Amino acid sequence: EVQLVESGGGLVQPGGSLRLSCAASGFTFSAYSMNWVRQAPGRGLEWVSYISSSSSSIYYADSVKGRFTISRDNAKNSLYLQFNSLRDEDTAVYYCARDQGGYSPRNFDYWGQGTLVTVSS
Amino acid sequence: DIQMTQSPSSVSASVGDRVTITCRASQGISSWLAWYQQKPGKAPKLLIYAASSLQSGVPSRFSGSGSGTDFTLTISSLQPEDFATYYCQQANSFPVTFGGGTKVEIK
């Protein structure tokens, strides 16, 4: 069974830093690209970042470019998102999501349960 | 960036009704479109990819159609477990973008 479990969320002050983790199991993690998607309270979905299976390709939404860093450790079956210079508008539930890949890239076929990041003083 | 516009933003329907949700892309995306269902407090669930391909395990009452800029998600006979919010998403290029969502509510 495919499982994605996020951790590391919490309350952080504006301008602060935080790192989220996503532990993957039930599939060959190193064969799949991965993504982070967020959802502000009561709002819609916003894609945040993408990393290819080998980390050779990385993309970010303009809203987080230069402040967030996506990375992965295939030996540990783990995905990460490092936040710097956090803003109030970064408050959201952050989901890690597996890229379906193959002939259907950029579709997200499995999602974690999400972890809440609250940016507030 | 490609903008995705969904309509309506909400719809009230009864069990057994046929429900159609539309999604328009600001530029052509061929068939690179997915649909997701999200229930309160839960992660989204992939329903349809490549505009019309049903994700494994998704009931056949869900169907998708369209290409280019105009797409539809149809629920042929609404079931109690289908009351949720639905999002379209373009998979044509980065940055990936989602529609604003359509909430399907009980009439």
Side-chain angles (χ1 to χ4, degrees):
Chain A
E1 178 194 6
V2 172
Q3 281 200 314
L4 298 169
V5 180
E6 301 95 338
S7 60
L11 176 64
V12 61
Q13 291 189 336
S17 299
L18 197 67
R19 188 175 88 152
L20 302 184
S21 299
C22 172
S25 61
F27 66 102
T28 304
F29 180 72
S30 60
Y32 287 85
S33 300
M34 297 293 295
N35 297 265
W36 289 98
V37 178
R38 69 182 179 182
Q39 187 169 35
R43 305 295 296 272
L45 300 168
E46 180 187 16
W47 171 80
V48 172
S49 185
Y50 161 97
I51 186 167
S52 63
S53 57
S54 64
S55 303
S56 59
S57 293
I58 287 175
Y59 297 93
Y60 297 99
D62 285 345
S63 58
V64 308
K65 200 173 295 182
R67 301 187 299 120
F68 291 7
T69 302
I70 192 171
S71 62
R72 64 190 295 162
D73 185 336
N74 287 342
K76 295 183 177 179
N77 290 339
S78 293
L79 175 72
Y80 305 102
L81 188 65
Q82 174 72 42
F83 300 123
N84 294 316
S85 305
L86 279 163
R87 305 169 180 168
D88 290 351
E89 56 265 33
D90 295 320
T91 294
V93 173
Y94 285 77
Y95 296 100
C96 66
R98 192 180 82 166
D99 196 294
Q100 193 171 30
Y103 294 106
S104 302
R106 297 177 291 277
N107 296 313
F108 311 136
D109 60 352
Y110 288 94
W111 298 63
Q113 84 287 353
T115 187
L116 177 62
V117 173
T118 302
V119 183
S120 176
S121 54
Chain B
D1 297 1
I2 299 173
Q3 308 304 315
M4 306 301 293
T5 304
Q6 276 182 248
S7 61
S9 56
S10 66
V11 57
S12 294
S14 300
V15 172
D17 284 354
R18 181 182 183 91
V19 173
T20 299
I21 298 168
T22 65
C23 180
R24 174 165 289 175
S26 61
Q27 63 190 72
I29 58 171
S30 186
S31 295
W32 297 106
L33 185 99
W35 290 96
Y36 298 85
Q37 176 194 66
Q38 187 180 33
K39 296 181 180 179
K42 300 294 187 182
K45 173 186 175 183
L46 178 64
L47 300 176
I48 301 282
Y49 63 95
S52 61
S53 296
L54 196 66
Q55 177 68 357
S56 177
V58 174
S60 59
R61 63 181 179 273
F62 291 93
S63 64
S65 65
S67 67
T69 60
D70 294 309
F71 302 87
T72 60
L73 172 70
T74 299
I75 309 171
S76 60
S77 178
L78 198 65
Q79 298 301 299
E81 60 268 31
D82 301 337
F83 292 96
T85 300
Y86 294 83
Y87 294 93
C88 63
Q89 174 238 316
Q90 66 83 11
N92 182 75
S93 60
F94 290 110
V96 165
T97 47
F98 291 88
T102 296
K103 187 173 184 179
V104 177
E105 301 175 297
I106 301 171
K107 181 183 281 186

